Amino acid sequence: MIAEAQMNRAATASATEKLQSLAEDNQKLVSQVGGAVQRIDKRTEERVEKAVEQVAGEASATMTANLDASNERAERIMQATAKLEARQLWSAAAAMCLALLPVVVVVAGLWMGIAGLIAGAQWALDVDGSVWLSIGRWLVFAVGLAGAGYGLFASARWVARLVETWKGRGMPNWPSWRKR
């Protein structure tokens, strides 16, 4: 039994030594694995930083490209708007000229009518004493005066209808006998 106990003791001591050797190997392995994990962590961190920098750079480039494209579109829109504003300015000037055209026509008509009446009266008075010539000329002057009066009446009626149309009461009925 003693021999068996000594053998068991020797076997236990040998197993303990082996276990201690294995524990030391395991410690070395754990130390090596820990170092490898730290290196892997460091490399992973570096790679992640590089990837983040690359993605940020690409995102920045994409954002810059998008901003440049947006600025170009905005410049084209501003140019088109400027063209439209210039066209609207000319359209407004043309509309103003067209709106003032009837006024100019009426003023010119009045001017010519007054000048015609003055010239007609002078012509009727210049008869050199002939009664029949005087009567004839005054009759022609009276007909001219009646025509000018009718022209003034028609112009005033036309202007009144034009103003009525501008005020939004609707289009006047042309001619007046076609009212339905």
Side-chain angles (χ1 to χ4, degrees):
M1 252 196 108
I2 292 181
E4 239 183 82
Q6 284 179 348
M7 266 178 48
N8 282 343
R9 190 171 195 214
T12 302
S14 171
T16 304
E17 285 177 11
K18 284 182 184 178
L19 284 176
Q20 280 180 348
S21 166
L22 282 174
E24 287 174 4
D25 287 342
N26 281 343
Q27 277 182 341
K28 286 181 186 177
L29 184 62
V30 166
S31 175
Q32 288 175 350
V33 167
V37 167
Q38 286 177 350
R39 286 191 304 272
I40 290 172
D41 263 354
K42 188 174 182 180
R43 286 181 186 165
T44 304
E45 186 177 319
E46 290 173 358
R47 287 181 182 168
V48 166
E49 285 177 5
K50 286 181 183 177
V52 166
E53 288 174 3
Q54 184 179 6
V55 168
E58 290 175 3
S60 175
T62 303
M63 188 184 308
T64 303
N66 287 342
L67 284 174
D68 289 343
S70 295
N71 286 339
E72 288 175 16
R73 283 192 300 268
E75 286 177 8
R76 283 185 293 199
I77 289 171
M78 287 176 15
Q79 289 172 352
T81 303
K83 285 181 184 177
L84 286 175
E85 286 176 355
R87 287 180 187 161
Q88 286 177 345
L89 179 65
W90 282 108
S91 295
M96 187 175 76
C97 287
L98 287 176
L100 293 177
L101 185 63
V103 174
V104 170
V105 168
V106 169
V107 169
L110 286 173
W111 182 272
M112 290 172 56
I114 292 170
L117 290 175
I118 293 171
Q122 287 176 348
W123 176 73
L125 289 173
D126 187 23
V127 291
D128 292 334
S130 174
V131 176
W132 290 107
L133 186 58
S134 175
I135 292 171
R137 283 188 175 186
W138 279 107
L139 284 175
V140 170
F141 177 72
V143 169
L145 185 61
Y150 178 74
L152 184 62
F153 168 73
S155 295
R157 187 176 68 186
W158 178 75
V159 168
R161 286 186 180 178
L162 185 64
V163 168
E164 184 176 312
T165 301
W166 284 345
K167 286 186 178 180
R169 294 185 187 162
M171 293 295 290
N173 296 322
W174 304 97
S176 58
W177 63 83
R178 294 188 71 191
K179 292 182 183 177
R180 291 183 186 192

